[in-house]
Amino acid sequence: QVQLQESGPGLVKPSETLSLTCTVSGGSISGYYWSWIRQPPGKGLEWIGDIYDSGYSKYNPSLKSRVTMSVDTSRSQFSLKMTSVTAADTAVYYCARYKWHSGGFDPWGQGTLVTVSA
Amino acid sequence: DIQMTQSPSSLSASVGDRVTITCQASQDIRNYLSWYQHKPGKAPKLLIHDASILEVGVPSRFSGSGSGTDFTFTISALQPEDIATYYCQQYTDLHTFGQGTKLEIK
């Protein structure tokens, strides 16, 4: 079955750029939207953005000015870059597959904690 | 932007109880709503899509209903392993999650 794994630095300095990659295994990256979702400590889930295998992307309006997603179908990977981070961006970051034909995010990666601190 | 208002924010119930969580959308989202179960340290798990369709392998004690702006998620008989935080999520216009309902055993 499809599995997702996040990777990237666990610590980012304020004002710098957060970069994460999600590797998809056990299935094709084609034909689906691929998403990033985060959960700040003690808070709920927040959708960050989706990207299709063609590179078409959609972002949360509240984060759009700072977020860029990209996809590398040859490596079965998609990535997130978030610029000018602050402590408010400290969160567990999940990658997930969005099932556009039926709705819902499934499966999800295990999540990776990114802390923004000097 | 579509806002999702989920209630209650926390809930304490006994094993075997019927548990109900509601989710209200700020505008008509038809039936484009999913429900998730999230346990600490684990990835969220998709339980229901299109408001009422159970994912494969999800126990039948879980159910969902509603359309338009008002939705309900029900556990017919609470089990100890159901302790988690539950989220609704709309996908008619981008994606928005509800604030979550933390379910505890009484």
Coordinates of all heavy atoms in Angstrom, one line a residue, chain A residues 35 37 39 43-47 50 58-62 94 98-99 101-106 108-110, chain B residues 1 34 36 38-39 41-46 48-50 55 87 89 91-92 94-100:
Chain A
S35 N -0.4 16.6 -0.4 CA -0.8 17.8 0.5 C 0.2 17.8 1.7 O 0.8 16.9 2.1 CB -2.2 17.6 1.0 OG -3.1 17.4 0.0
I37 N 0.0 19.3 5.7 CA -0.9 19.7 6.8 C -0.1 19.8 8.0 O 0.9 19.0 8.2 CB -2.0 18.6 6.9 CG1 -2.9 18.6 5.7 CG2 -2.9 18.9 8.2 CD1 -3.5 17.2 5.5
Q39 N 0.2 20.7 12.5 CA -0.5 20.8 13.8 C 0.5 21.4 14.8 O 1.4 20.8 15.3 CB -0.9 19.4 14.3 CG -1.7 19.5 15.6 CD -2.2 18.2 16.1 OE1 -1.5 17.2 15.9 NE2 -3.3 18.2 16.7
K43 N -2.6 22.5 19.4 CA -3.7 23.1 18.5 C -4.2 22.0 17.5 O -3.8 20.9 17.6 CB -3.1 24.3 17.8 CG -2.8 25.5 18.8 CD -2.4 26.7 18.0 CE -2.1 27.8 19.0 NZ -1.8 29.1 18.2
G44 N -5.1 22.5 16.7 CA -5.7 21.6 15.7 C -4.9 21.5 14.4 O -3.9 22.1 14.3
L45 N -5.5 20.8 13.5 CA -4.9 20.6 12.1 C -5.2 21.8 11.2 O -6.2 22.4 11.2 CB -5.5 19.4 11.5 CG -5.3 18.1 12.3 CD1 -6.2 16.9 11.6 CD2 -3.8 17.7 12.3
E46 N -4.1 22.2 10.5 CA -4.2 23.3 9.5 C -3.7 22.8 8.2 O -2.5 22.4 8.1 CB -3.4 24.5 10.0 CG -3.4 25.7 9.1 CD -2.6 26.8 9.5 OE1 -1.6 26.7 10.2 OE2 -3.0 28.0 9.3
W47 N -4.5 22.9 7.1 CA -4.1 22.6 5.8 C -3.2 23.7 5.2 O -3.5 24.9 5.4 CB -5.3 22.4 4.9 CG -5.0 22.3 3.4 CD1 -4.5 21.2 2.8 CD2 -5.3 23.3 2.4 NE1 -4.4 21.5 1.5 CE2 -4.8 22.7 1.2 CE3 -5.8 24.6 2.4 CZ2 -4.9 23.4 0.0 CZ3 -5.9 25.2 1.2 CH2 -5.5 24.7 0.0
D50 N -1.9 21.9 -1.5 CA -2.0 20.7 -2.3 C -1.2 20.9 -3.6 O -1.1 22.1 -4.1 CB -3.4 20.4 -2.8 CG -4.4 20.0 -1.7 OD1 -4.0 19.6 -0.7 OD2 -5.6 20.2 -2.0
K58 N -2.4 24.5 -5.0 CA -3.4 25.4 -4.3 C -2.9 25.5 -2.9 O -2.3 24.6 -2.3 CB -4.7 24.7 -4.3 CG -5.4 24.4 -5.6 CD -6.7 23.7 -5.5 CE -6.6 22.3 -5.0 NZ -7.9 21.6 -4.9
Y59 N -3.0 26.7 -2.3 CA -2.5 27.0 -1.0 C -3.5 27.6 -0.1 O -4.5 28.3 -0.5 CB -1.3 28.0 -1.1 CG -0.1 27.5 -1.9 CD1 0.3 28.3 -3.0 CD2 0.4 26.2 -1.7 CE1 1.4 27.8 -3.8 CE2 1.5 25.8 -2.5 CZ 2.0 26.6 -3.5 OH 3.0 26.1 -4.3
N60 N -3.3 27.4 1.2 CA -4.1 28.1 2.2 C -3.9 29.6 2.1 O -2.7 30.1 2.1 CB -3.7 27.6 3.6 CG -4.5 28.2 4.7 OD1 -5.0 29.3 4.7 ND2 -4.7 27.4 5.8
P61 N -5.0 30.4 1.9 CA -4.8 31.9 1.7 C -4.0 32.5 2.8 O -3.3 33.5 2.5 CB -6.2 32.4 1.7 CG -7.0 31.2 1.2 CD -6.4 30.0 1.8
S62 N -4.1 32.0 4.0 CA -3.4 32.6 5.2 C -1.9 32.4 5.1 O -1.1 33.1 5.8 CB -3.9 32.1 6.5 OG -3.6 30.8 6.7
Y94 N 2.8 17.2 8.5 CA 2.4 15.9 7.9 C 2.3 16.1 6.4 O 1.8 17.1 5.9 CB 1.0 15.5 8.4 CG 0.9 15.1 9.8 CD1 0.4 16.1 10.7 CD2 1.2 13.9 10.3 CE1 0.2 15.7 12.1 CE2 1.1 13.5 11.6 CZ 0.6 14.5 12.5 OH 0.4 14.2 13.8
Y98 N -4.3 13.5 -1.1 CA -5.7 13.9 -1.1 C -6.4 13.1 -2.2 O -6.0 13.2 -3.4 CB -5.8 15.4 -1.4 CG -7.2 15.9 -1.6 CD1 -8.2 15.6 -0.6 CD2 -7.6 16.5 -2.8 CE1 -9.5 16.0 -0.8 CE2 -8.9 16.8 -3.0 CZ -9.9 16.6 -2.0 OH -11.2 17.0 -2.2
K99 N -7.4 12.4 -1.8 CA -8.2 11.6 -2.8 C -9.2 12.4 -3.4 O -10.4 12.4 -3.0 CB -8.7 10.4 -2.0 CG -7.7 9.5 -1.4 CD -8.2 8.1 -1.0 CE -9.4 8.2 0.0 NZ -9.9 6.9 0.4
H101 N -11.0 12.2 -6.0 CA -12.1 11.6 -6.6 C -13.2 11.1 -5.6 O -14.3 10.9 -5.9 CB -11.7 10.4 -7.4 CG -10.8 9.4 -6.7 ND1 -9.5 9.7 -6.3 CD2 -11.0 8.2 -6.2 CE1 -9.0 8.7 -5.7 NE2 -9.9 7.8 -5.5
S102 N -12.7 11.0 -4.3 CA -13.7 10.6 -3.3 C -13.7 11.4 -2.0 O -14.6 11.4 -1.2 CB -13.4 9.1 -2.9 OG -12.2 9.0 -2.3
G103 N -12.7 12.3 -1.9 CA -12.6 13.2 -0.8 C -11.8 12.6 0.4 O -11.8 11.4 0.6
G104 N -11.1 13.5 1.1 CA -10.4 13.1 2.2 C -8.9 12.9 2.0 O -8.5 12.6 0.9
F105 N -8.1 13.0 3.1 CA -6.7 12.8 3.0 C -6.4 11.4 3.5 O -6.7 11.1 4.7 CB -6.0 13.8 3.9 CG -6.1 15.3 3.5 CD1 -7.0 16.1 4.2 CD2 -5.4 15.7 2.4 CE1 -7.1 17.4 3.8 CE2 -5.6 17.1 2.0 CZ -6.4 17.9 2.7
D106 N -5.7 10.6 2.7 CA -5.4 9.2 3.1 C -4.5 8.6 2.0 O -4.8 8.7 0.8 CB -6.7 8.4 3.2 CG -6.4 6.9 3.5 OD1 -5.9 6.7 4.7 OD2 -6.6 6.1 2.7
W108 N -1.5 9.2 5.4 CA -0.7 10.3 5.9 C 0.7 9.8 6.2 O 0.9 8.6 6.5 CB -1.3 10.9 7.2 CG -2.6 11.5 7.1 CD1 -3.8 10.9 6.6 CD2 -3.0 12.8 7.5 NE1 -4.8 11.8 6.7 CE2 -4.4 13.0 7.3 CE3 -2.3 13.8 8.1 CZ2 -5.1 14.1 7.6 CZ3 -3.0 15.0 8.5 CH2 -4.4 15.2 8.2
G109 N 1.7 10.7 6.2 CA 3.0 10.3 6.8 C 2.9 10.3 8.3 O 1.9 10.7 8.9
Q110 N 3.9 9.9 8.9 CA 4.0 9.8 10.4 C 4.1 11.2 11.0 O 3.8 11.4 12.2 CB 5.1 8.9 10.9 CG 6.5 9.5 10.5 CD 7.6 8.5 10.9 OE1 7.4 7.3 11.1 NE2 8.8 9.0 11.1
Chain B
D1 N -13.6 32.5 2.6 CA -13.1 31.2 3.2 C -14.2 30.5 3.9 O -15.0 31.2 4.6 CB -11.9 31.5 4.2 CG -10.7 32.1 3.5 OD1 -10.8 32.4 2.3 OD2 -9.7 32.3 4.2
S34 N -15.3 15.2 5.4 CA -14.7 14.0 5.9 C -14.5 14.1 7.5 O -14.5 15.2 8.0 CB -13.3 13.9 5.3 OG -13.3 13.5 4.0
Y36 N -12.0 12.5 10.7 CA -10.8 11.9 11.0 C -10.7 11.6 12.5 O -11.2 12.3 13.4 CB -9.6 12.8 10.7 CG -9.5 13.2 9.2 CD1 -10.2 14.2 8.7 CD2 -8.7 12.4 8.4 CE1 -10.2 14.5 7.4 CE2 -8.6 12.8 7.0 CZ -9.4 13.8 6.6 OH -9.3 14.1 5.2
H38 N -7.7 11.1 15.4 CA -6.3 11.4 15.6 C -5.9 11.1 17.0 O -6.3 11.6 18.0 CB -6.0 12.9 15.4 CG -4.6 13.3 15.3 ND1 -4.1 14.5 15.3 CD2 -3.5 12.5 15.1 CE1 -2.8 14.5 15.2 NE2 -2.4 13.3 15.1
K39 N -5.0 10.1 17.1 CA -4.4 9.7 18.4 C -3.0 10.3 18.6 O -2.3 10.5 17.6 CB -4.4 8.1 18.5 CG -5.7 7.5 18.4 CD -5.7 6.0 18.5 CE -7.1 5.4 18.5 NZ -7.1 3.9 18.7
G41 N 0.7 11.2 18.8 CA 1.9 10.5 18.3 C 1.7 9.7 17.0 O 2.6 9.1 16.5
K42 N 0.4 9.7 16.5 CA 0.1 9.0 15.3 C -0.4 9.9 14.2 O -0.8 11.1 14.5 CB -1.0 7.9 15.6 CG -0.7 6.9 16.7 CD 0.2 5.8 16.1 CE 0.4 4.7 17.1 NZ -0.3 3.5 16.9
A43 N -0.4 9.4 13.0 CA -1.0 10.2 11.9 C -2.5 10.1 12.0 O -3.1 9.1 12.5 CB -0.6 9.6 10.6
P44 N -3.2 11.2 11.7 CA -4.7 11.2 11.6 C -5.1 10.0 10.7 O -4.5 9.7 9.7 CB -5.1 12.5 11.1 CG -3.9 13.4 11.5 CD -2.7 12.6 11.3
K45 N -6.3 9.5 11.0 CA -6.9 8.4 10.2 C -8.2 8.8 9.6 O -9.1 9.3 10.3 CB -7.1 7.2 11.1 CG -7.7 6.0 10.4 CD -7.9 4.8 11.4 CE -8.6 3.7 10.7 NZ -8.9 2.6 11.6
L46 N -8.3 8.7 8.3 CA -9.6 9.0 7.6 C -10.6 7.9 8.0 O -10.4 6.8 7.7 CB -9.4 9.1 6.1 CG -10.6 9.3 5.2 CD1 -11.2 10.7 5.5 CD2 -10.2 9.2 3.8
I48 N -14.4 8.7 7.5 CA -15.6 8.9 6.7 C -15.3 9.9 5.6 O -14.6 11.0 5.9 CB -16.8 9.3 7.6 CG1 -17.2 8.2 8.5 CG2 -17.9 9.9 6.8 CD1 -18.2 8.6 9.6
H49 N -15.8 9.7 4.4 CA -15.7 10.8 3.4 C -17.1 11.0 2.8 O -18.0 10.1 3.1 CB -14.7 10.4 2.3 CG -15.1 9.3 1.4 ND1 -14.8 8.0 1.7 CD2 -15.9 9.3 0.2 CE1 -15.2 7.2 0.7 NE2 -15.9 8.0 -0.2
D50 N -17.3 12.1 2.1 CA -18.6 12.4 1.5 C -19.7 12.3 2.6 O -20.8 11.9 2.3 CB -19.0 11.5 0.3 CG -18.1 11.9 -0.9 OD1 -17.5 12.9 -0.9 OD2 -18.1 11.1 -1.9
E55 N -14.9 4.5 5.4 CA -13.7 4.0 4.7 C -13.6 2.5 5.0 O -14.1 2.0 6.0 CB -12.4 4.6 5.3 CG -12.3 6.1 4.9 CD -12.0 6.3 3.4 OE1 -11.1 5.6 2.9 OE2 -12.8 7.1 2.7
Y87 N -11.8 15.2 14.1 CA -11.8 16.4 13.3 C -12.8 16.2 12.1 O -12.7 15.1 11.5 CB -10.5 16.8 12.7 CG -9.4 17.2 13.7 CD1 -8.6 16.2 14.3 CD2 -9.3 18.5 14.1 CE1 -7.6 16.6 15.2 CE2 -8.3 18.9 15.0 CZ -7.5 17.9 15.6 OH -6.6 18.3 16.5
Q89 N -13.6 18.0 8.3 CA -12.8 18.7 7.3 C -13.7 18.9 6.0 O -14.2 17.9 5.5 CB -11.6 17.9 6.9 CG -10.7 18.5 5.8 CD -10.6 17.6 4.6 OE1 -10.6 16.4 4.8 NE2 -10.4 18.1 3.4
Y91 N -14.1 19.9 1.9 CA -13.2 20.0 0.7 C -14.0 20.5 -0.5 O -13.7 20.1 -1.7 CB -12.6 18.6 0.4 CG -13.5 17.4 0.5 CD1 -14.2 16.9 -0.6 CD2 -13.6 16.7 1.7 CE1 -14.9 15.8 -0.5 CE2 -14.4 15.6 1.8 CZ -15.1 15.1 0.7 OH -15.9 14.0 0.8
T92 N -15.0 21.3 -0.3 CA -15.7 21.9 -1.4 C -15.0 23.1 -2.0 O -15.1 23.4 -3.1 CB -17.2 22.2 -1.0 OG1 -17.9 22.5 -2.2 CG2 -17.2 23.5 -0.1
L94 N -11.1 24.6 -1.4 CA -9.8 24.3 -0.7 C -10.2 23.3 0.5 O -11.0 22.4 0.3 CB -9.2 25.6 -0.2 CG -8.9 26.7 -1.3 CD1 -8.3 27.9 -0.7 CD2 -8.0 26.1 -2.4
H95 N -9.5 23.5 1.6 CA -9.7 22.6 2.7 C -9.7 23.3 4.0 O -8.8 24.2 4.2 CB -8.6 21.5 2.8 CG -8.4 20.7 1.5 ND1 -9.2 19.7 1.1 CD2 -7.4 20.9 0.6 CE1 -8.8 19.2 0.0 NE2 -7.7 19.9 -0.4
T96 N -10.6 23.0 4.9 CA -10.7 23.6 6.2 C -11.0 22.5 7.2 O -12.0 21.7 7.0 CB -11.7 24.7 6.3 OG1 -11.7 25.5 5.2 CG2 -11.5 25.5 7.6
F97 N -10.3 22.4 8.3 CA -10.6 21.5 9.4 C -11.4 22.2 10.5 O -11.2 23.4 10.7 CB -9.3 21.0 10.0 CG -8.5 20.0 9.2 CD1 -7.5 20.5 8.3 CD2 -8.8 18.7 9.2 CE1 -6.8 19.6 7.5 CE2 -8.1 17.8 8.4 CZ -7.1 18.2 7.6
G98 N -12.2 21.4 11.2 CA -12.8 21.9 12.4 C -11.8 22.0 13.5 O -10.7 21.5 13.3
Q99 N -12.2 22.6 14.6 CA -11.2 22.8 15.7 C -10.8 21.5 16.5 O -9.9 21.5 17.2 CB -11.8 23.8 16.7 CG -12.2 25.1 16.1 CD -13.7 25.2 15.8 OE1 -14.2 24.2 15.2 NE2 -14.3 26.3 16.2
G100 N -11.6 20.5 16.3 CA -11.3 19.2 16.9 C -12.2 19.0 18.2 O -12.6 19.9 18.9

